[in-house]
Amino acid sequence: MSPVDPGARRAILAAIDDAKPASEAMLARLVRHRSLLGHEASCLEDMAAIFTEQGLAPFRVPVDPERLADHPGFSPPLIPYAGRDNVAAIHRPRQTIGRSLILQGHVDVVPEGAEDLWTTPPFEPSIRDGRMYGRGAGDMKAGLVSFVMAWQAIRACGLQPAAELQFAAVIEEECTGNGALAVMQALPKPDACLIPEPGKVLYVAEVGVVWAWVIVTGKPVHVREMQAGVNAIEAANIIAGRFKDYESQMNRAELRHPAFAAHNHPINVNFGTIEGGEWNSSVPTRARIGMRVGVMPGKSCREVAREIERLVADALDDPRLKGAKARVEFKGFMADGAVFPPDQPLSQALVAAHRDITGADLSRHTTTALTDARFYPLYQGTQATCYGAEADGIHGIDESVSLESMHETTRVLALLVAGWCGLEKKARPF
Ligand SMILES: [Zn+2]
């Protein structure tokens, strides 16, 4: 990474400080969008508006399942894609001096859970003790704000990146990754990808994930002769027990990828949804469990899908399940794990920028969750990693992000862009 001119560095950091209120207002503006699966349109529109306000020319990148169906990174969709096109923008320099980069973030958020457990309503941003609370504040609307404001600060100093800088706001990071895949396929191949997912850490590896739905059909009878029937809910429960055995097997030390050597429990099986039954006095005929199964890097998600099918077929041999039927559907994540080598130039540049701003070293992080970063190394040969603000309660109750940490992330990203892409005088005053 080339050193950033000290005068430019000072001016950029000062511009970020000046823009703190604007950054926080932008975060609140984004948190107000209830951008759950299928409801991302207004947030995407707002991201397009923000890109326009920042002197960029945003364009839409649709997810076309037919075109992507044969791609190994494609996940079976949960819902149709009409009206939910990703938003992207590309800055092109007058003269290319440095390396190109994509800054990417997702607009989708996970459901808020039991709203009555929240201290303040999940989609009404609230600032308490230097933190902004709201679903998506940390994961990862603060990340979107940071890269937009890093760009704004560079431009406010009369400068611009001296290499192609791409921006993308994508859908479905939380359930398929198909938004990010469509963007990667549509945009010119960048030299690196940085995703400001939450965490003041250097992401070095992440697991893969398979979403599976186990549909159990029992044998319905009246409760008075329930011994003659098979209760689909009880049968589903017995099958679920098999998944917990599978989970402990998969976490055996000898099956662990070296990047996860220090983890006691990298592979998690989560039963996320359960539905079933028809009537309190009838033995239920059908039950459906939606689950998320972790995949160790190096192992194919398709192999895990086959293991899930085998596990369910074997479970039916249990005498308690005699007469029951079960099948598995795969919708949502069909994602491989990925490794982001800490010695790759992007990660080194990030570590250097973080040290420049904070004076501290960045600790390495292997995550038992997954991000959209996987697509770039797995399918494009592009280095990628994640780094972002300190957040709490993501996917839980009272999600929050430290605002000071968001501003710090903005500073780090601005210096990363300045060093990675190089700087030149802005093309036109804006
Ligand atoms: Zn996220």
Side-chain angles (χ1 to χ4, degrees), residues 26 29-30 33 42-52 58 87 107 144-145 147-148 168-169:
M26 187 185 290
R29 169 178 167 182
L30 292 177
H33 294 285
S42 71
C43 195
L44 290 163
E45 248 164 61
D46 215 6
M47 283 307 299
I50 285 170
F51 287 153
T52 305
V87 180
V107 299
L144 295 166
V145 170
F147 71 63
V148 168

Side-chain angles (χ1 to χ4, degrees), residues 42-248:
S42 71
C43 195
L44 290 163
E45 248 164 61
D46 215 6
M47 283 307 299
I50 285 170
F51 287 153
T52 305
E53 288 160 20
Q54 297 296 333
L56 293 158
F59 56 93
R60 294 302 186 119
V61 180
V63 180
D64 179 351
E66 275 173 34
R67 273 191 55 200
L68 297 174
D70 294 332
H71 193 285
F74 185 66
S75 290
L78 293 152
I79 60 168
Y81 287 103
R84 309 165 56 221
D85 296 352
N86 304 288
V87 180
I90 300 180
H91 155 76
R92 293 194 175 83
R94 277 178 298 125
Q95 196 193 350
T96 299
I97 296 165
R99 290 161 290 182
S100 61
L101 180 68
I102 180 166
L103 297 168
Q104 185 175 300
H106 62 89
V107 299
D108 55 311
V109 298
V110 298
E112 64 273 30
E115 190 176 339
D116 57 299
L117 297 181
W118 285 69
T119 307
T120 47
F123 296 100
E124 285 173 27
S126 160
I127 298 179
R128 304 192 289 275
D129 297 330
R131 306 184 71 85
M132 189 177 291
Y133 287 80
R135 170 57 85 233
D139 184 13
M140 58 164 285
K141 289 171 173 173
L144 295 166
V145 170
S146 277
F147 71 63
V148 168
M149 297 313 279
W151 158 260
Q152 189 197 54
I154 291 170
R155 305 233 322 153
C157 304
L159 299 164
Q160 61 180 23
E164 187 170 292
L165 183 60
Q166 306 173 355
F167 301 87
V170 305
I171 60 165
E172 290 200 1
E173 188 272 348
E174 301 285 7
C175 58
T176 65
N178 291 340
L181 177 62
V183 163
M184 186 184 80
Q185 296 295 84
L187 268 51
K189 181 184 182 319
D191 290 322
C193 167
L194 193 279
I195 301 184
E197 284 281 1
K200 285 265 150 228
V201 286
L202 178 68
Y203 282 57
V204 295
E206 63 180 34
V207 297
V209 164
V210 171
W211 271 21
W213 310 82
V214 178
I215 300 123
V216 183
T217 305
K219 196 170 148 203
V221 289
H222 192 289
V223 176
R224 68 186 172 211
E225 52 196 5
M226 65 181 278
Q227 281 71 20
V230 177
N231 182 315
I233 292 176
E234 289 179 15
N237 204 24
I238 291 169
I239 295 174
R242 295 285 190 110
F243 275 94
K244 284 291 156 183
D245 298 342
Y246 172 86
E247 182 185 45
S248 20

Side-chain angles (χ1 to χ4, degrees), residues 363-374:
S363 60
R364 294 177 181 181
H365 179 60
T366 50
T367 170
T368 56
L370 82 177
T371 71
D372 280 336
R374 69 182 179 280

